[in-house]
Amino acid sequence: MSTTFLAVVATAQLAFFVAMFAWLVVYRGLDERRKRRRRAQGAALSRALMDLLAGRITPDQFVGTLGRSDGHVIVAVLHQYASQIGGEPWERVVDAVRQTAWFDRFVPPRARSRLWWQRLVAARLLAIAGRESDLSLTRELVRDHHPAIKVAAIKIVRRVRDDSVLEIVLDEALAAKPVVRRYLFDTVVSVRQVLVPLLARRLETAGSVEELRSLIALGGELSAIEFFDPLLGYTGHEAMEIRVAVARALGSYPHPRTEAVLSDLLSDKQWQVRTQAGSSLGVIRAVGARGALKRALSDGNWWVRLRAAMALRQLGGAGTQVLHDIEAGEDRFALEMARYVRGLSDEAVADYLT
């Protein structure tokens, strides 16, 4: 009885492994066949796209090639050429693609799919072929809970300038984790003409310290003169984080008034603010702030002294001379830091500044 049972179990296991092996062989064959078909479709679509741009075929003939290709192949090929062509020639391609029934069948269902990778494909296509008529889908995709979809969808603002989408992006960025926020900010910086007035309004109505800090950081990255005066209005903010953010942002505004404001911030009651002010003075090469930086070398905080010395090193010969003159003084803190920074190699200084 037990021997018969074991034989049945062994036979069943053997049959299972044989079936599994056969399934893997068949699946691999089908997968290779699908890959070969997609490669062939991609090559044919690439040739058709080049022929369309060269005027060798009509848009209708190009559309016929699209109809014979897999949707994912079409998206991959379009992405490959979108960054290479651009301008009016690319818009001719977009016109041809959007006139097809395929586009309407492919994009909306995937944009609203329950599967995140389907929504990602739709977002990537809209990023290179989107129009104003797609803004409702774009708003949904920008609000998507998946970070990759947010980042892909927001790129449509490079094609379609819309305040409502930028408002959503700012809201999503402020609520996102730092890495996602970085990607979103990098994207919207490319549309500064639309973003500048919007961000200026948001600075005035920020509801929390964290939101204000993030908006000030974005203002620093934009380096738009329209933000200069609003930024200066926050140099005396009660929250230390805001004063640090302002000091960092001002490092993107090389202006005589910036030099004076940062020199004043070197006397802030919080060492974090003084440290950032020193760093930013070095970034903007504030030669006129040598006196303030020299005084900061006597600061009671090591980080403030280091950043002040680094800033002087960034000023070139004028700043190096200040570091050299310090060695004739009696301030031990300033003397030690001046010697330390003067002895650093250019590579070591670069490491500190990154």
Side-chain angles (χ1 to χ4, degrees):
M1 179 85 177
S2 60
T3 303
T4 304
F5 176 75
L6 292 175
V8 171
V9 171
T11 302
Q13 289 179 334
L14 178 61
F16 173 78
F17 284 120
V18 170
M20 180 63 70
F21 179 76
W23 181 82
L24 289 174
V25 171
V26 172
Y27 176 80
R28 183 171 182 179
L30 292 174
D31 187 53
E32 287 297 325
R33 182 180 176 183
R34 182 171 60 253
K35 288 179 179 178
R36 287 195 300 270
R37 184 174 67 252
R38 286 188 171 184
R39 284 195 293 268
Q41 289 178 356
L45 187 55
S46 295
R47 290 193 298 270
L49 193 150
M50 291 295 101
D51 288 342
L52 173 66
L53 292 173
R56 291 189 289 267
I57 64 174
T58 66
D60 288 339
Q61 290 173 312
F62 176 70
V63 167
T65 306
L66 287 178
R68 297 189 294 271
S69 302
D70 179 89
H72 293 273
V73 173
I74 296 173
V75 175
V77 171
L78 292 177
H79 256 279
Q80 177 184 347
Y81 287 96
S83 59
Q84 301 175 16
I85 302 173
E88 190 274 334
W90 177 249
E91 292 308 312
R92 287 166 53 198
V93 175
V94 172
D95 286 339
V97 171
R98 294 190 64 103
Q99 289 172 9
T100 64
W102 167 84
F103 189 89
D104 293 332
R105 290 197 311 267
F106 186 85
V107 176
R110 282 166 176 76
R112 297 187 171 101
S113 172
R114 291 181 298 175
L115 305 175
W116 71 265
W117 55 89
Q118 297 281 24
R119 301 195 303 277
L120 179 60
V121 170
R124 293 181 68 232
L125 182 55
L126 288 175
I128 59 173
R131 296 272 171 84
E132 289 185 2
S133 57
D134 304 311
L135 285 175
S136 60
L137 287 179
T138 303
R139 294 183 190 106
E140 294 178 25
L141 292 169
V142 169
R143 291 190 179 101
D144 199 281
H145 65 274
H146 198 287
I149 297 170
K150 289 181 188 292
V151 173
I154 184 52
K155 292 179 182 177
I156 195 177
V157 300
R158 295 175 178 172
R159 296 181 51 81
V160 180
R161 308 300 171 85
D162 183 80
D163 285 359
S164 66
V165 173
L166 285 173
E167 287 277 11
I168 296 170
V169 173
L170 286 176
D171 290 336
E172 293 292 325
L174 295 172
K177 294 181 179 179
V179 174
V180 179
R181 182 184 304 164
R182 173 79 272 139
Y183 277 108
L184 294 176
F185 278 1
D186 286 346
T187 300
V188 296
V189 163
S190 65
V191 291
R192 64 178 61 230
Q193 288 184 343
V194 180
L195 186 61
V196 165
L198 174 63
L199 186 56
R201 293 195 300 269
R202 291 293 292 267
L203 277 172
E204 298 176 357
T205 60
S208 67
V209 169
E210 180 59 25
E211 178 182 358
L212 181 58
R213 188 187 65 80
S214 297
L215 291 171
I216 289 173
L218 181 55
E221 293 181 27
L222 287 171
S223 302
I225 192 62
E226 294 88 346
F227 290 131
F228 187 67
D229 286 331
L231 285 176
L232 295 185
Y234 290 102
T235 55
H237 197 277
E238 61 181 0
M240 178 266 291
E241 296 89 341
I242 300 303
R243 301 198 303 279
V244 171
V246 172
R248 181 178 293 111
L250 288 175
S252 300
Y253 293 84
H255 188 281
R257 290 176 63 194
T258 302
E259 191 173 295
V261 171
L262 289 173
S263 296
D264 288 341
L265 288 175
L266 278 174
S267 301
D268 193 276
K269 60 183 179 181
Q270 298 289 341
W271 67 268
Q272 294 94 331
V273 180
R274 302 197 301 275
T275 299
Q276 186 57 59
S279 295
S280 292
L281 283 169
V283 170
I284 64 173
R285 303 295 195 272
V287 177
R290 296 192 305 276
L293 290 169
K294 180 179 180 181
R295 290 190 294 274
L297 289 175
S298 300
D299 195 280
N301 184 275
W302 186 86
W303 285 106
V304 178
R305 299 197 301 274
L306 173 66
R307 291 303 174 181
M310 286 293 178
L312 287 167
R313 177 78 180 258
Q314 287 175 273
L315 300 184
T320 303
Q321 183 60 48
V322 173
L323 293 174
H324 183 272
D325 293 343
I326 288 293
E327 297 191 19
E330 299 180 355
D331 189 316
R332 180 172 59 85
F333 284 157
L335 174 62
E336 289 177 353
M337 187 57 70
R339 286 178 175 174
Y340 173 67
V341 171
R342 285 188 64 216
L344 291 175
S345 65
D346 291 340
E347 292 77 8
V349 171
D351 286 340
Y352 267 116
L353 297 177
T354 55

